[in-house]
Amino acid sequence: MAEHVEVLLSEEEVDRRIREIGEQISRDYAGKKVHLVCVLKGASFFMCELAKRITVPVSLDFMSVSSYGGDTKSSGVVKIVKDLDEPLTDRHVIVVEDIVDSGRTLSYLLEMLRSRGAADVKLCTLLDKPDRRVVDVRVDYTGFQIPDAFVVGYGLDYDQKYRNLPYIGVVNFDSPAQ
Ligand code: 5GP
């Protein structure tokens, strides 16, 4: 099936908002160090841009959990594909996510990370689809709340495509010609 992408949030809007979140985190964590945990692969673009906008000391780690694959519906199955390299003990952790949809992935992940002895674990997401929530998840920093649509760009993919778009777009699936 063919698809095309329509701009939802421009590069300028996304950059401006990331700058604001970086400033807010820098204020909230004044005098502390933050440990950013990036959920691969989707959050990688956001995490890099965000890290550059934070003025307190930052360390980074990465983990990968199973997600959509080639489909656009959440399976609800969460599997750790790559775990963190470093322990979280006594750290001020911010989990950086691309998008919170049903909340299933994050609710599992946050519970698991909170059991590892961090000083605190907060959640920062570039995008949030509150209408789609199935499991309650507290989001501490949100870039944008968006409607229920399948989005790509800025790290988010459809079937591994479009991650490199510098903006957030909505995927429209063209119906075959009659
Ligand atoms: P949840 O567990 O909250 O339903 O799903 C979270 C994960 O589903 C995200 O990290 C992302 O990988 C994927 N996801 C949810 N909505 C979208 C979307 O609109 N576009 C893309 N590309 N991935 C999505």
Side-chain angles (χ1 to χ4, degrees):
M1 191 165 34
E3 76 266 354
H4 69 276
V5 179
E6 248 174 74
V7 178
L8 177 69
L9 297 162
S10 70
E11 185 173 2
E12 291 72 27
E13 284 175 277
V14 176
D15 288 352
R16 197 179 320 125
R17 185 69 190 120
I18 294 177
R19 198 179 285 264
E20 286 170 4
I21 299 173
E23 287 167 2
Q24 196 186 335
I25 289 175
S26 305
R27 280 195 299 274
D28 293 352
Y29 288 82
K32 298 177 184 161
K33 295 176 186 171
V34 289
H35 189 60
L36 301 183
V37 167
C38 173
V39 185
L40 293 169
K41 301 173 187 167
S44 52
F45 287 57
F46 176 40
M47 153 102 131
C48 293
E49 291 307 310
L50 180 64
K52 289 195 282 184
R53 305 298 171 203
I54 297 175
T55 52
V56 298
V58 168
S59 52
L60 310 174
D61 207 345
F62 299 85
M63 73 186 309
S64 180
V65 298
S66 64
S67 62
Y68 280 27
D71 201 349
T72 59
K73 289 268 175 349
S74 179
S75 64
V77 178
V78 180
K79 192 175 98 197
I80 295 183
V81 179
K82 183 219 169 291
D83 207 340
L84 297 172
D85 290 333
E86 293 173 37
L88 298 182
T89 321
D90 299 333
R91 293 189 197 252
H92 298 290
V93 175
I94 303 179
V95 176
V96 181
E97 197 27 318
D98 49 6
I99 187 163
V100 184
D101 186 30
S102 72
R104 287 192 184 100
T105 312
L106 261 304
S107 112
Y108 172 86
L109 210 60
L110 289 170
E111 197 177 319
M112 196 264 294
L113 296 177
R114 286 193 171 114
S115 70
R116 296 189 182 185
D120 42 70
V121 180
K122 300 259 166 91
L123 172 61
C124 177
T125 185
L126 179 59
L127 303 171
D128 187 4
K129 291 194 226 174
D131 297 346
R132 298 259 311 161
R133 201 72 92 253
V134 174
V135 182
D136 196 26
V137 175
R138 184 199 148 99
V139 184
D140 301 285
Y141 303 97
T142 305
F144 302 91
Q145 292 198 337
I146 60 165
D148 177 11
F150 192 79
V151 291
V152 292
Y154 226 90
L156 286 152
D157 76 308
Y158 169 62
D159 215 3
Q160 298 304 324
K161 290 182 287 185
Y162 307 120
R163 285 195 200 277
N164 59 318
L165 294 178
Y167 55 86
I168 303 289
V170 174
V171 181
N172 290 308
F173 297 95
D174 308 320
S175 35
Q178 298 289 317

